[in-house]
Amino acid sequence: MSHSLLKNRWIVWALVLLMTLIWGYAWVFMKASLNFMGPFTFSAFRFGTGAATLLIAVWLLKAAKPPRNMWKHLIVVGLLQTTIVFTFVMYGMQFVDAGKSSVLLYSMPLWSSIFAVKLLGEKITTGKALGLMVGMLGLVTILGWDIFFVQNPGVIFGELLIIVAAVSWAAANVYYRLKLEGMTQLQVSAYQMLFGTIGIVIAAMLAEWGDPVLLTSESISYILFTGVLASALCFTVWFLLLSVIDMISATLSTLLVPVFGLFFGWLILGEELTNSILIGSAMIIAGIGIAQVFGKGKALGNRLEAKLPANH
């Protein structure tokens, strides 16, 4: 399958488009879910659903259980990749718009690249570095002057939480490269999500025990969309993409997620779509294009290939 995809690059980018569209749309549901339950409770439902879906897939495919010496590493990745990222993101979204939240979380490619250079001794091609820089400038343009001038303390707190989540996601990528690279991606994703979900459930019980939970047809549809499609299905697509394109190209492609998140936030939630958002989105798309057109030049070092998928 991977070999055939290499011969059909349009299929690869069609899958990228599908994945980023679903992840972008998921931000609307994540924000809307706060009307029905607490942020940690929703995350517990979402990733419980996603973990169950992936574990069923593992069972159907008769995949072996991870070696005993890998369990502790799976727990660490689960805490970094699922527990910290989504408790912080969902809590921060109480103060920050859905579209802007997605922009902040997708600062991850910058942190991931920094960690890879510092901790793994890896570098990227000049073209991909330029594409990453343009894309990150696009994110800063979307955020506008909010990040430079004093604003509502609650908004600042929410934004900082989401930035910490982005750093945790990047750290999970590097930890995977150091400790879990020999395992199959399906094993890693299924079991790290299981352990990460346990962490989220504990957080929900400590912070939101007794809080109202409204399970309606609408809120259940949010859980199913984000759990089955945005988590389990998109992870399967992500595994496939990582088998045919390098991590930098894959990571850069995820910069499309905040573009779609901002668009859907405007279309469905009525969030403001400013000129800075439009210009920044164009810069992100340009950055991805630059990386693809000029990213095959001479490498400055080894290729970054941390293969842990994102949970969006």
Side-chain angles (χ1 to χ4, degrees), residues 123-140:
K123 295 181 187 284
I124 59 178
T125 65
T126 303
K128 288 179 180 175
L130 179 60
L132 176 63
M133 184 181 302
V134 173
M136 296 308 300
L137 286 174
L139 293 183
V140 173

Side-chain angles (χ1 to χ4, degrees), residues 61-259:
L61 294 172
K62 298 181 180 180
K65 289 184 179 180
R68 184 171 297 180
N69 64 330
M70 291 296 180
W71 288 101
K72 61 183 178 181
H73 300 310
L74 288 166
I75 292 172
V76 171
V77 173
L79 291 173
L80 290 172
Q81 178 75 27
T82 299
T83 304
I84 293 177
V85 170
F86 284 94
T87 53
F88 282 33
V89 165
M90 290 302 299
Y91 193 80
M93 284 182 71
Q94 296 179 107
F95 311 100
V96 184
D97 286 347
K100 186 166 287 188
S101 297
S102 66
V103 170
L104 289 168
L105 183 61
Y106 282 88
S107 65
M108 179 278 298
L110 174 63
W111 308 114
S112 189
S113 298
I114 291 173
F115 288 163
V117 170
K118 295 294 184 181
L119 301 177
L120 302 177
E122 297 183 353
K123 295 181 187 284
I124 59 178
T125 65
T126 303
K128 288 179 180 175
L130 179 60
L132 176 63
M133 184 181 302
V134 173
M136 296 308 300
L137 286 174
L139 293 183
V140 173
T141 301
I142 288 172
L143 289 175
W145 295 107
D146 286 353
I147 58 175
F148 301 111
F149 290 105
V150 177
Q151 54 183 320
N152 185 302
V155 175
I156 295 175
F157 176 66
E159 291 176 349
L160 287 175
L161 284 179
I162 297 169
I163 290 173
V164 171
V167 174
S168 182
W169 178 6
N173 287 336
V174 175
Y175 192 89
Y176 168 81
R177 178 66 184 272
L178 291 172
K179 301 295 185 180
L180 291 168
E181 197 172 24
M183 294 181 60
T184 67
Q185 294 168 333
L186 181 60
Q187 282 180 317
V188 172
S189 186
Y191 287 98
Q192 71 83 17
M193 190 180 296
L194 173 64
F195 293 127
T197 300
I198 293 172
I200 293 176
V201 169
I202 293 172
M205 293 177 66
L206 291 175
E208 297 173 357
W209 183 263
D211 290 356
V213 177
L214 301 177
L215 290 177
T216 67
S217 59
E218 184 177 354
S219 63
I220 291 173
S221 70
Y222 297 161
I223 292 169
L224 291 176
F225 183 93
T226 56
V228 177
L229 295 181
S231 296
L233 174 63
C234 283
F235 292 150
T236 303
V237 173
W238 184 248
F239 306 148
L240 190 57
L241 291 173
L242 286 173
S243 70
V244 296
I245 58 177
D246 63 275
M247 181 58 188
I248 291 298
S249 295
T251 301
L252 279 167
S253 73
T254 65
L255 290 175
L256 285 173
V257 177
V259 174

